[in-house]
Amino acid sequence: MTDLAILAGAYKGTRISSPASAETRPTSARVRKSLFDILGDLSGISALDLFAGTGALGFEAASRGASSVTFVDIERRLSDSIRKNGLLFDETNIEVITKDAFRFLKTCMDKFDLIFADPPYGSADLDLLSESASGLLNSRGRLVLESSAREGWRPKKGEIRAYGDTQLSFIVP
């Protein structure tokens, strides 16, 4: 089992559990703290957590005021764990979808204020992911794409922050 604590907000200190998985690489507490310090106030926003894994990014957004969070992960064990942990966040509308992230992006008709995309390192076409996810952003929305700095990927427009091997790309439509 992977056990992570929410860092700040209404649910600070709440522990979320997730089944251990070789494919899951939770965003470190240091990177999550830096990310959410950059994002600032999330009150009332809608968020999408693609390749959700443990759900740590979406749950952190919920703790910091997001009114709704949609989690998408292809692995049923992880989706079931996110559903269970979602019961702890009773002030946030939580939706969990067990589906391939790229298939979800092709069929989703919703728009979001904030999208997190954290695919397994080296396994996704980041240009396609960035383009597809950006299409679901509201006019003032933001996409945060996490990747390995070793991949050398750069967004067409946006800002990059590196934390060791972790690279966060902040992309706006």
Side-chain angles (χ1 to χ4, degrees):
M1 290 294 275
T2 301
D3 200 26
L4 301 166
I6 299 301
L7 301 173
Y11 297 94
K12 180 179 179 176
T14 298
R15 300 199 77 72
I16 57 171
S17 296
S18 180
S21 170
E23 294 81 36
T24 305
R25 174 198 31 78
T27 304
S28 73
R30 179 178 146 248
V31 173
R32 277 188 291 134
K33 180 182 181 326
S34 296
L35 166 60
F36 284 93
D37 285 350
I38 292 166
L39 293 175
D41 183 23
L42 300 181
S43 298
I45 67 138
S46 60
L48 171 62
D49 189 349
L50 293 170
F51 304 93
T54 64
L57 295 176
F59 287 128
E60 193 72 46
S63 182
R64 294 171 187 243
S67 60
S68 68
V69 181
T70 301
F71 296 87
V72 178
D73 200 281
I74 195 168
E75 194 174 324
R76 179 154 310 279
R77 290 181 326 131
L78 295 172
S79 294
D80 290 346
S81 177
I82 291 168
R83 265 186 209 88
K84 182 179 174 188
N85 287 317
L87 299 173
L88 302 170
F89 296 81
D90 57 1
E91 294 177 20
T92 306
N93 179 19
I94 303 282
E95 181 179 9
V96 183
I97 298 169
T98 306
K99 194 173 197 175
D100 174 76
F102 285 100
R103 287 186 183 192
F104 172 82
L105 290 170
K106 284 181 183 176
T107 59
C108 182
M109 302 304 289
D110 296 325
K111 294 286 187 177
F112 299 91
D113 300 307
L114 178 61
I115 298 175
F116 300 109
D118 184 9
Y121 285 179
S123 70
D125 179 337
L126 299 180
D127 287 322
L128 177 61
L129 177 57
S130 173
E131 183 180 313
S132 300
S134 292
L136 296 184
L137 287 172
N138 288 323
S139 61
R140 292 192 173 155
R142 295 174 283 183
L143 166 63
V144 179
L145 198 154
E146 183 173 334
S147 61
S148 169
R150 286 182 265 157
E151 290 180 62
W153 182 77
R154 298 283 183 254
K156 290 184 175 111
K157 62 179 183 177
E159 178 184 341
I160 296 173
R161 301 277 177 101
Y163 305 89
D165 185 42
T166 301
Q167 174 177 295
L168 297 178
S169 299
F170 296 84
I171 302 160
V172 293

